Every structure is written in C-alpha cells, then in structure tokens.
Amino acid sequence: MTRYASVIGIRPEAIAEYKRLHADVWPDVLKQIKASNISNYSIFLKEPENLLFSYFEYHGSDYEADMAAMAADPRTQEWWAVCKPLQSPLTTRRDGEWWAGMPEVFHMD
C-alpha cells in the first residue's frame, strides 16, 4: 500500500457548493475510485486559507494504469468538470498536476 497526499486551493465562494457535492458523491465516481484500487480517501478543508488536502491509500500494482483508467472514465470526467471550476490550483504545482502532490515526511502506525 502506498499513501498519497495532495493540496489545492478552493475559491472561497465555492466552498458551500464543494461541500454539498462531496456530501453526496455520485455512486459511479465512488465505484471508479474503488476500481482504481483507492481506499481510505479523505478530503479536508483548511479555512481561512481555503486549501483542500486530500489523502488516500493505493492498494494496486500499477498506479499509472489505474489513474489512467480513472481519467478515461466518462462519469469521472463529468464529476471533474463540475468540481474543477470550484478549485484553485497552486502556482507551485508540478507540470501535469492539478492537485499538487505532497511527499510523506512522517508516518506512524
């Protein structure tokens, strides 16, 4: 299992809508997340900085292929099209990132 964390900004005026959407995530999106070998997925909100922090655990053997399958899923693409305009990517993110990846510097089981 590999842990992944990332961060992105959220537009202040979009917070209520983002919370509403994530209180009732589309079942097809949840199904695809699980099919992509992701579990223990959480998104946290830090106000007043308006940052979203995501954490998940990957249990598969080919992360790139699983993420490509998720990105190719039409329903997930629709979900992202709804969520992306609410977000504000960090200017310091790497090329190709929407959410900025964060390396793990400490863990305790």
Side-chain angles (χ1 to χ4, degrees), residues 18 20-31 33 79:
Y18 197 85
R20 185 192 68 75
L21 286 165
H22 286 78
D24 191 22
V25 177
W26 303 344
D28 291 340
V29 171
L30 295 175
K31 182 179 175 184
I33 290 170
W79 175 257

Side-chain angles (χ1 to χ4, degrees), residues 13-98:
E13 67 277 11
I15 291 172
E17 176 66 5
Y18 197 85
K19 286 181 178 181
R20 185 192 68 75
L21 286 165
H22 286 78
D24 191 22
V25 177
W26 303 344
D28 291 340
V29 171
L30 295 175
K31 182 179 175 184
Q32 181 60 54
I33 290 170
K34 290 178 185 178
S36 295
N37 295 303
I38 291 173
S39 65
N40 200 19
Y41 190 5
S42 299
I43 298 175
F44 300 86
L45 170 64
K46 175 65 172 106
E47 292 180 279
E49 293 85 354
N50 302 323
L51 295 173
L52 297 170
F53 166 78
S54 81
Y55 169 86
F56 64 84
E57 295 171 355
Y58 176 71
H59 292 269
S61 59
D62 190 341
Y63 182 78
E64 297 302 323
D66 283 334
M67 296 307 101
M70 186 177 330
D73 176 61
R75 192 69 169 147
T76 300
Q77 290 175 7
E78 290 176 38
W79 175 257
W80 289 346
V82 171
C83 293
K84 275 186 161 187
L86 308 177
Q87 300 166 340
S88 179
L90 302 183
T91 58
T92 56
R93 70 190 186 277
R94 286 181 234 131
D95 286 343
E97 287 185 326
W98 184 253

